[in-house]
Amino acid sequence: MSENKSYNKNRDFSKTPEPESESKTETHSRAKPLFVIQKHDASTLHYDFRIEIEGVLKSWVLPKGPSTDPSQKRLAIPTEDHPLEYADFEGIIPEDQYGGGTVMIWDKGEFSNINTQNGKTVPLGESYKNGHIVIYLEGEKISGGYTLIQTKSGKLDDNWLLIKMDDDKADARRNPTSAENRSVKSGQTLEEIKSTEQKSS
Ligand code: MN
């Protein structure tokens, strides 16, 4: 996939610990696709939201992270596809490399496609192309229905918005990005990931 090539092209795998994207199509035995939200302390702190669609992780930068408040529309800036293995990546990208900085697996889980039209499920790939994705997330921190919608239709490089659906997982008072700052993989904060990695290298 051309998107995967641009992922590889952006990176020097002799220098970054990130996984290399293989050209083979990923196969897996999971019943549901996966999503990951990575907290990334790069030149500016942000969250990367990645959801499995057609064998790759479609990816967006969330400058403010996800919200559990349905009244909050969170900007989601599309970025290059990442390989599925990236959902397990936590560690330090060297400062002189693309996206240099510490990466934490802030949340991870499976999701369901709940986008329907005239009573039929709209396939995820089609939802992506249409700029209108409706999914039910089952993470440790983030769960329930979310809509990802492209602000202008037609061009895939336009920005999107991530909006919590008003369901039983909605909570306007919860502020997970500030209150919950540990990895679901290691239990560590960004600072702890940084100091652990520096000791072991
Ligand atoms: Mn990032």
Side-chain angles (χ1 to χ4, degrees):
M1 263 192 164
S2 59
E3 291 89 343
N4 275 349
K5 278 196 192 120
S6 76
Y7 170 89
N8 281 347
K9 218 187 289 169
N10 283 333
R11 289 166 175 80
D12 179 348
F13 295 98
S14 67
K15 296 191 175 134
T16 180
E18 296 165 290
E20 190 165 359
S21 177
E22 319 254 334
S23 56
K24 68 177 169 60
T25 307
E26 298 295 335
T27 54
H28 60 79
S29 56
R30 281 176 289 103
K32 290 181 184 174
L34 65 89
F35 81 94
V36 65
I37 303 173
Q38 280 151 324
K39 189 173 181 177
H40 186 184
D41 188 14
S43 51
T44 53
L45 182 71
H46 61 272
Y47 293 76
D48 292 292
F49 183 51
R50 312 188 196 281
I51 61 176
E52 179 182 353
I53 298 179
E54 294 175 341
V56 296
L57 292 173
K58 293 288 176 193
S59 299
W60 291 262
V61 174
L62 306 176
K64 294 175 76 180
S67 177
T68 52
D69 179 353
S71 74
Q72 296 286 313
K73 295 177 172 67
R74 289 290 162 89
L75 177 64
I77 304 159
T79 182
E80 81 272 24
D81 292 356
H82 280 51
L84 289 184
E85 304 91 294
Y86 207 90
D88 293 319
F89 178 71
E90 178 169 287
I92 299 176
I93 302 168
E95 288 301 335
D96 61 347
Q97 297 299 302
Y98 181 77
T102 307
V103 176
M104 172 209 288
I105 301 178
W106 186 76
D107 200 14
K108 191 182 169 184
E110 295 180 329
F111 72 95
S112 307
N113 174 20
I114 56 168
N115 192 14
T116 58
Q117 208 167 33
N118 306 322
K120 278 189 186 167
T121 302
V122 182
L124 275 171
E126 203 175 305
S127 297
Y128 181 78
K129 282 189 201 94
N130 294 342
H132 182 237
I133 294 169
V134 191
I135 49 182
Y136 193 94
L137 303 175
E138 296 168 79
E140 293 182 36
K141 295 185 175 86
I142 296 296
S143 58
Y146 276 85
T147 303
L148 248 176
I149 191 157
Q150 210 171 0
T151 49
K152 269 188 260 168
S153 61
K155 278 198 275 162
L156 279 180
D157 56 355
D158 278 341
N159 289 332
W160 297 54
L161 295 170
L162 178 67
I163 309 160
K164 179 76 199 78
M165 286 169 70
D166 197 1
D167 57 17
D168 65 339
K169 305 291 184 191
D171 187 345
R173 287 166 305 176
R174 209 181 135 204
N175 195 349
T177 50
S178 59
E180 298 162 47
N181 64 352
R182 289 184 179 275
S183 163
V184 296
K185 182 181 186 177
S186 62
Q188 293 180 309
T189 62
L190 275 174
E191 290 309 312
E192 288 167 349
I193 293 166
K194 208 178 276 184
S195 62
T196 308
E197 290 262 331
Q198 278 160 355
K199 269 178 225 147
S200 66
S201 64

